[in-house]
Amino acid sequence: MAFKWRKWNRIIHRDFGFFFFGMTIIYALSGIAINHINDWNPNYDIENTYYSITNPEQFDNADDAKIKELLGLVELEDSYKKFYYMRPGLLKVFIKDGSLLLNTETGDASIETLRRRPVFFYVNYLHYNPGKWWLWFADIYGGALIILAFSGIIMNKSSKGLMGRGGIYLIIGLLIPLVFLLFFR
């Protein structure tokens, strides 16, 4: 009895496809997000709010009590962490999920708050390989992608396979990265 390599090829391709579906979505979403990192922050939604504080000079050389008083003016007294002066006249206060910046000379204040993006924060976290065990799983996934790629190109025969339409797509798919490497790097 002859070995049925085409049958086993389909089984491996199918089972790896199901098993690594989640990883493929994780890496695809985070890859798209990271590709556009110059257009947006894929991990955080950043919001800036501006205020004008009266009598800002009272917050020069402030202590914790004074900083909490300042945060009370913008209804954030419960989110205080710590503070420091970036330079004379410029106070930075760290709050939960953000910071407040106050010019103690002009009274101009800005609050920057950060919120994790619901999906992208977590898929990007996984994409950056957060630990040794995840690194191993990600490496296994990379190997599985190689197997999926090769098993995919030999799966079909005749006019839909390598000797037909599939072969044309394969050549085009290989040429596009080569053209970019040769002419656009």
Side-chain angles (χ1 to χ4, degrees):
M1 180 190 256
F3 181 73
K4 297 184 180 190
W5 68 269
R6 192 172 297 276
K7 174 185 171 187
W8 282 104
N9 183 61
R10 285 184 184 279
I11 290 170
I12 290 168
H13 188 85
R14 179 198 64 215
D15 291 351
F16 277 14
F18 282 123
F19 185 76
F20 289 111
F21 174 81
M23 284 291 284
T24 303
I25 298 303
I26 287 168
Y27 277 81
L29 285 174
S30 63
I32 291 168
I34 292 168
N35 281 346
H36 297 279
I37 204 159
N38 291 332
D39 301 322
W40 70 312
N41 183 328
N43 292 326
Y44 294 99
D45 182 24
I46 301 170
E47 184 179 319
N48 289 298
T49 311
Y50 301 95
Y51 295 91
S52 183
I53 304 296
T54 55
N55 301 323
E57 62 280 351
Q58 66 180 313
F59 300 108
D60 272 331
N61 301 315
D63 58 8
D64 284 343
K66 242 348 188 179
I67 297 300
K68 287 181 183 178
E69 182 183 325
L70 168 64
L71 291 174
L73 297 174
V74 292
E75 300 176 2
L76 290 171
E77 62 273 3
D78 293 334
S79 62
Y80 172 63
K81 288 185 174 182
K82 62 182 178 177
F83 76 97
Y84 78 101
Y85 289 89
M86 297 175 72
R87 61 175 169 73
L90 191 59
L91 169 66
K92 183 160 190 168
V93 180
F94 294 97
I95 58 174
K96 184 178 184 284
D97 299 324
S99 63
L100 177 143
L101 199 60
L102 171 66
N103 183 322
T104 60
E105 296 166 3
T106 65
D108 294 333
S110 65
I111 298 173
E112 180 179 85
T113 54
L114 306 172
R115 281 191 312 259
R116 289 179 177 172
R117 293 193 186 272
V119 174
F120 288 106
F121 177 85
Y122 299 101
V123 297
N124 289 338
Y125 173 76
L126 292 173
H127 196 136
Y128 294 137
N129 295 330
K132 189 174 184 174
W133 290 104
W134 185 260
L135 177 68
W136 281 101
F137 185 62
D139 287 347
I140 291 167
Y141 171 64
L145 282 179
I146 294 168
I147 293 169
L148 282 166
F150 280 103
S151 65
I153 65 171
I154 61 173
M155 188 173 295
N156 292 316
K157 52 185 175 178
S158 71
S159 65
K160 294 179 185 171
L162 275 175
M163 296 304 148
R165 183 177 67 204
I168 294 169
Y169 289 153
L170 176 66
I171 291 168
I172 293 169
L174 291 172
L175 284 176
I176 291 172
L178 288 174
V179 167
F180 273 90
L181 282 174
L182 293 172
F183 298 107
F184 298 106
R185 69 180 162 104

